[in-house]
Amino acid sequence: MRFNEKAQNPRKTVNYEEAITYKLTPELELYTAVCCASLQPKFYEPNVSAQLEQIRKLIAKVDADFVKKLAIYAREQMYLRSIPLVLAVELARIGKLDKKTVFRIIQRADEITEILAYYQMANERTETKKLNKLSEAIQKGIKEVFESGKFDEYQYAKYNRDTEIKLRDALFLTHPKPKDKKQEILFKKIAENTLEIPYTWEVELSRLGQQKFESEKDKKKAFKEKWEELIDSGRLGYMAMLRNLRNFLEYKVSDKHIDKVCQRISNPDEVKKSKQLPFRFFSAYRRLTEANISHFRLQDILDALENAIIASVENVKGFDLDTKVLIACDVSRSMMTAISKNSIVQYYDIGLLLGQLLQYKCRRIITGFFGSIWEPVILPKNNILQNTLTLRNREGVVGYSTNGYKVLEWMIERRINADKIMFFTDCQLWDSDRYSYGHSSQMSELWNKYRKEINPNARLYLFDLAGYGTTPLDVITEKNVFLIAGWSDKIFDVLDNIERGKSVIEIIRNYN
């Protein structure tokens, strides 16, 4: 009988598929939860309240300075809007927030009222004065936003919506002091709800829609002219253009205006300034291809979208001819959940798209997808959006399980010597061939075998797209295994930093 048994890994647990998996450190788990946060039901976590409660528990375990930097990093680098506000409010609830963090994460005028709305909800305020005794840090942070001149009248008016908490409420709660006469007039307009109605496509089309027309032909002509006017005005935002590409074609705006739209969509400076997440381009592309539109300029717009997404990864370093890269995208059933209730984009699509973006930046590459089986796929490098759509339309070809180990098994059998192995996945991998509670997904044993038999210096990257808090390999102790989370092209900056010896936690801790 042995009394001194071998110590078990304290992070070993089981995932939602009841396969052996590994817990993350609180900092890593919070990072993945934040960078993958949609605050919408997920395949394995349909309860949003439970997701928020888990974030609260993790904040309590992590240094407040890290949480503040993570909130700013998520807003400024990952282009996320809601989750940084959540982090700020949760820090405020435990008295560890400062006004500078609030000032940094509020980058759109409607985020002033959004942070107050979440504060009200998180504190379960039901009395008449729901924002009574507002957090001092939030109050001072919003006050500084008003006083700094960060937003002008147009921006305030654009987001001055008829919501429960209005801009005038925020003004009365924080009592900003105008720095000059112009700002004094602006604050008075906010208080009296007399901001000039902004010239936006929503307002202009709403006005036009209220008019009566003698015929449907007259109505279409009026909308065609309005769209052309909006395109010429320069006040149609980049995101608005992406959302309305189908309207431009259906209302038959002129060739001259289609040219303007294509030029702006594909302009690298406009792409950079717009800060669009990659899936926005795919969403626009997919809607157009599925709309059954017959138009001579449709292909020009599709080409402009391809050029736009290429411009979005212009600064991604990728890997040179000396580096062999294999990309494996998870297309299992759990990936087929929409990222929000109004979106056609699923985690499935995001994994495929990010895989195609990385393929574009690599010289020696094998790309494929896995479910019940693994299948390599040969696609041209330049057609990023079309490739993603092609793979999306092959749903079910490899089955719906999450047998990620099949990728490593295939590489070992064929002696595929890769330097970098990239998994785009929700990390809920298992082994459908030998399923039982607490079974191994074979990932760890096959990874060790691969490094021993094929390439001892190979590195494996898990790109976590869902943030469930566990990984199929122990990224804390397993050699040459790394974790990156999120849907933004900025994940490739994290990849580059890791290649240069920095961990993602270091990146956030040192974030200015």
Side-chain angles (χ1 to χ4, degrees), residues 19 105 192 236 305 310 335 366 425 475 478 494:
I105 64 175
E192 296 176 351
L236 194 61
L305 287 169
I310 286 173
M335 296 287 284
I366 295 174
T425 174
V475 298
E478 199 90 50
V494 178

Side-chain angles (χ1 to χ4, degrees), residues 95-150:
K96 294 185 178 180
L97 181 65
D98 59 63
K99 68 176 184 178
K100 290 180 181 179
T101 302
V102 177
F103 182 83
R104 287 276 291 273
I105 64 175
I106 293 178
Q107 296 190 15
R108 256 180 39 169
D110 60 334
E111 288 165 3
I112 295 172
T113 51
E114 281 292 299
I115 195 171
L116 292 174
Y118 182 71
Y119 184 85
Q120 176 181 299
M121 187 189 84
N123 288 287
E124 299 179 348
R125 298 286 180 84
T126 56
E127 61 273 18
T128 304
K129 295 185 177 181
K130 295 180 181 179
L131 288 170
N132 193 28
K133 297 181 180 178
L134 179 65
S135 153
E136 184 178 353
I138 292 177
Q139 183 177 6
K140 288 184 175 180
I142 293 175
K143 181 175 184 283
E144 191 168 319
V145 169
F146 276 122
E147 293 176 348
S148 69
K150 183 181 273 194

